[in-house]
Amino acid sequence: DAKTTQPNSMESNEEEPVHLPCNHSTISGTDYIHWYRQLPSQGPEYVIHGLTSNVNNRMASLAIAEDRKSSTLILHRATLRDAAVYYCILKGGQGGSEKLVFGKGTKLTVNP
Amino acid sequence: NAGVMQNPRHLVRRRGQEARLRCSPMKGHSHVYWYRQLPEEGLKFMVYLQKENIIDESGMPKERFSAEFPKEGPSILRIQQVVRGDSAAYFCASSPTRTGAYEQYFGPGTRLTVT
């Protein structure tokens, strides 16, 4: 499984934007970039995913570098509820591995 | 559309007993995944099932653990003769298909405590 590298922790202030980086220099052409988060004492929660183009949904935006070796999850206005561990995961395309391989993720702290 | 349901949410077992964890996937999802999170550790994949088939069990411990996803009813993760090291949160996820283009939706988990 291709690996990703994320900072161990980041801090943000409430109502400010947050940019969570992820490096995946060994990504293959068919790997999708997925982001999940896990709030304390809860199950993981899907956030967003993309292949090549930038993606937006109601939770966040995903900016993917042109060479696809890195990506950034953008929370436009952090709230206290966004405090969680964020995982950047590569998931194979057709015929690829179905399982999610979780690393250590980035622990996001949101200050009031 | 109800999300992924897991029960029980909390389960306490004595060493040597059996633990049965149930997972009902989201409506329309035929792919189920089980993950385990040991205390203070990350999430680890255990097994991937489709209806009546185990597709990938590369993360399952070799002994005492089994999983099934019958044609009717929920997926079951079964742990026989539990030991203290089995104490963990067990999460189930489901997806409509298997490719990387689709996300997995997780349940709230079952927290197993072995005394």
Side-chain angles (χ1 to χ4, degrees), chain A residues 14 37 39-40 42 45 59 78-84 86 110:
Chain A
E14 204 175 4
R37 70 180 185 181
L39 280 66
Q42 294 190 28
E45 178 185 26
M59 290 182 69
T79 68
L80 296 178
R81 197 200 170 276
D82 292 321
Y86 286 78
V110 180

Side-chain angles (χ1 to χ4, degrees), chain A residues 32 34 36 38 41-46 49 87 91-94 96-100 102-103, chain B residues 33 35 37 43-45 48 55-56 58 91 98-108 111:
Chain A
Y32 286 77
H34 284 242
Y36 290 78
Q38 187 174 24
S41 300
Q42 294 190 28
E45 178 185 26
Y46 165 76
H49 77 281
Y87 298 97
K91 193 166 183 296
Q94 188 69 38
S97 174
E98 299 77 18
K99 62 189 177 189
L100 295 172
F102 289 85
Chain B
Y33 313 80
Y35 295 83
Q37 189 167 33
L43 287 142
K44 302 290 185 191
F45 166 81
Y48 161 45
I55 308 302
D56 180 357
S58 59
F91 295 100
R98 61 187 284 173
T99 72
Y102 288 87
E103 59 273 25
Q104 293 180 14
Y105 292 92
F106 284 79
R111 280 154 181 81

Side-chain angles (χ1 to χ4, degrees), chain B:
Chain B
N1 189 6
V4 176
M5 299 176 69
Q6 290 187 250
N7 65 79
R9 295 289 304 277
H10 299 273
L11 182 61
V12 180
R13 285 287 178 264
R14 290 200 178 110
R15 278 178 297 170
Q17 290 184 319
E18 178 179 288
R20 282 189 177 231
L21 288 60
R22 294 176 205 78
C23 169
S24 296
M26 286 183 71
K27 188 176 180 181
H29 288 193
S30 59
H31 300 252
V32 166
Y33 313 80
W34 286 92
Y35 295 83
R36 177 168 68 170
Q37 189 167 33
L38 293 164
E40 306 304 321
E41 292 192 20
L43 287 142
K44 302 290 185 191
F45 166 81
M46 298 182 76
V47 63
Y48 161 45
L49 310 103
Q50 293 180 34
K51 285 283 187 182
E52 301 184 279
N53 287 303
I54 296 174
I55 308 302
D56 180 357
E57 56 182 346
S58 59
M60 287 279 269
K62 293 283 187 275
E63 297 175 349
R64 302 187 296 108
F65 285 72
S66 62
E68 62 177 10
F69 189 15
K71 188 176 180 181
E72 303 290 337
S75 174
I76 306 285
L77 180 68
R78 183 180 177 210
I79 311 172
Q80 295 178 292
Q81 300 175 329
V82 296
V83 300
R84 288 224 172 103
D86 297 332
S87 295
Y90 292 82
F91 295 100
C92 165
S94 74
S95 69
T97 184
R98 61 187 284 173
T99 72
Y102 288 87
E103 59 273 25
Q104 293 180 14
Y105 292 92
F106 284 79
T110 294
R111 280 154 181 81
L112 173 65
T113 301
V114 179
T115 61

Side-chain angles (χ1 to χ4, degrees), chain A residues 15-110:
Chain A
E15 298 192 8
E16 290 184 354
V18 181
H19 290 233
L20 296 164
C22 180
N23 288 320
H24 29 78
S25 58
T26 59
I27 190 171
S28 75
T30 57
D31 284 336
Y32 286 77
I33 302 159
H34 284 242
W35 284 82
Y36 290 78
R37 70 180 185 181
Q38 187 174 24
L39 280 66
S41 300
Q42 294 190 28
E45 178 185 26
Y46 165 76
V47 179
I48 200 167
H49 77 281
L51 184 62
T52 56
S53 304
N54 295 343
V55 185
N56 300 294
N57 66 20
R58 63 176 180 81
M59 290 182 69
S61 295
L62 176 60
I64 301 173
E66 198 169 331
D67 64 5
R68 301 210 324 128
K69 294 184 185 300
S70 65
S71 61
T72 302
L73 179 70
I74 302 166
L75 306 178
H76 296 284
R77 290 183 69 216
T79 68
L80 296 178
R81 197 200 170 276
D82 292 321
V85 179
Y86 286 78
Y87 298 97
C88 169
I89 300 170
L90 300 183
K91 193 166 183 296
Q94 188 69 38
S97 174
E98 299 77 18
K99 62 189 177 189
L100 295 172
V101 179
F102 289 85
K104 296 189 184 304
T106 297
K107 183 175 182 179
L108 176 65
T109 300
V110 180

